[in-house]
Amino acid sequence: MKIYVYLDESGSIHKNSKTKYFAVGGYFIFKEDKHKATSTYKKINKSIKDKRNIKLDKEIKSYDMKDEEKIEIFDNIQDINTFYGIAKIFEKPLMKKEIVQSNIFFNYAVKVLFADCIVPLLNLAQLNEDIEFVVSIDNRNIRIGEINNLETYLKTEFCLEKFDFKITYYDSRTNFGIQLADLIVNTFYNYYKDKKIIKKVIKTLKLKNFRVSSFPGHKIKGRIKKIEYNI
């Protein structure tokens, strides 16, 4: 079976960056609801642009959205049957070594996100079949020579599981799934950075639809119960 994953990042992992946090996250969703999530986001996104007289081909980043706009999106997205928002938050000052190569650390961050926020929610005994993760990621920070690295890395790290990975990079300006992932990961990034920034939005989120994990350590906020999936 296929599980669709949309990922983006917030903060910076560059060794010279002064930011305290780095986050990677977004959401995963099952095949039957994949188009419902993106079409719902696309419809609200267009409504926001129409109200603000923004060109349709211009991307609205999450930091440009008003609280009311974010809440409208989450209210319409979070109860989609197989939608689950995810984020892994890295507190950089607590790491004992500096990040030397950002692309290598990004691969590790995605692996930890899968290990802590996606796989624990899957009832693998119930699914009882191989899983292909179809992963869409924003391409803005990827150099040409690194495109295949993450896919190979994840296949190696999860070689004991019946998992396969297909990684595709997109320009977020034309991919509504990645735009939604940007909103999710940026929301939780801001929650750790300064809760006041996002307090109105956070109050509207339902724990059953989100799972967030901090690093170092594996402290979990949000959903713990495994997903009951009817095949």
Side-chain angles (χ1 to χ4, degrees):
M1 71 174 296
K2 292 184 179 181
I3 296 177
Y4 294 84
V5 185
Y6 295 85
L7 299 179
D8 202 352
E9 61 188 74
S10 283
S12 175
I13 50 178
H14 194 277
K15 64 180 180 179
N16 296 326
S17 169
K18 301 296 184 181
T19 57
K20 182 178 180 180
Y21 295 100
F22 168 72
V24 61
Y27 71 98
F28 70 95
I29 197 163
F30 291 94
K31 183 177 182 179
E32 65 266 30
D33 294 316
K34 171 178 175 285
H35 293 296
K36 185 176 182 180
T38 51
S39 63
T40 299
Y41 177 84
K42 180 180 179 180
K43 181 179 179 180
I44 300 172
N45 183 274
K46 182 180 183 302
S47 175
I48 293 170
K49 289 176 179 176
D50 288 344
K51 290 176 183 176
R52 291 215 240 155
N53 197 27
I54 298 173
K55 293 181 179 180
L56 289 178
D57 61 352
K58 179 177 175 58
E59 180 182 0
I60 305 177
K61 302 297 290 183
S62 59
Y63 51 73
D64 291 324
M65 289 183 180
K66 301 174 183 177
D67 285 351
E68 294 73 20
E69 294 167 344
K70 295 178 181 180
I71 290 170
E72 181 184 5
I73 292 170
F74 280 123
D75 282 348
N76 284 274
I77 292 287
Q78 65 180 336
D79 282 330
I80 292 176
N81 190 37
T82 62
F83 166 88
Y84 300 95
I86 50 174
K88 186 75 181 181
I89 313 295
F90 297 83
E91 190 168 356
K92 292 159 58 179
L94 296 182
M95 298 182 192
K96 295 181 179 180
K97 295 181 180 179
E98 70 174 14
I99 298 167
V100 178
Q101 294 191 44
S102 58
N103 64 306
I104 293 176
F105 186 82
F106 178 78
N107 289 353
Y108 174 74
V110 173
K111 188 268 289 192
V112 175
L113 176 74
F114 268 87
D116 290 353
C117 295
I118 299 180
V119 176
L121 294 183
L122 300 178
N123 193 333
L124 298 178
Q126 182 192 25
L127 292 174
N128 197 30
E129 59 179 299
D130 293 359
I131 296 175
E132 180 183 10
F133 290 104
V134 182
V135 185
S136 300
I137 303 180
D138 190 0
N139 66 3
R140 68 181 182 274
N141 292 322
I142 303 297
R143 295 193 293 268
I144 295 297
E146 300 168 354
I147 284 181
N148 295 323
N149 288 357
L150 177 57
E151 187 172 296
T152 302
Y153 177 72
L154 291 176
K155 288 179 179 180
T156 303
E157 286 293 317
F158 291 97
C159 63
L160 297 180
E161 304 290 347
K162 293 182 177 181
F163 298 161
D164 194 13
F165 295 88
K166 180 181 179 182
I167 311 293
T168 307
Y169 297 91
Y170 294 96
D171 186 335
S172 62
R173 291 176 296 180
T174 59
N175 190 293
F176 291 104
I178 294 176
Q179 290 180 32
L180 177 55
D182 167 62
L183 171 59
I184 294 166
V185 70
N186 186 253
T187 296
F188 290 111
Y189 171 80
N190 283 329
Y191 177 81
Y192 280 80
K193 179 183 176 182
D194 183 355
K195 294 179 182 179
K196 295 192 295 290
I197 298 174
I198 207 73
K199 64 180 181 179
K200 290 182 180 178
V201 178
I202 285 291
K203 289 180 180 179
T204 68
L205 303 186
K206 299 178 181 179
L207 290 178
K208 69 181 181 66
N209 300 105
F210 297 90
R211 183 178 171 98
V212 181
S213 175
S214 57
F215 182 97
H218 303 278
K219 187 176 181 179
I220 300 295
K221 295 180 183 291
R223 188 182 180 104
I224 298 175
K225 183 180 178 182
K226 289 186 180 296
I227 299 166
E228 294 295 327
Y229 184 69
N230 296 319
I231 300 176

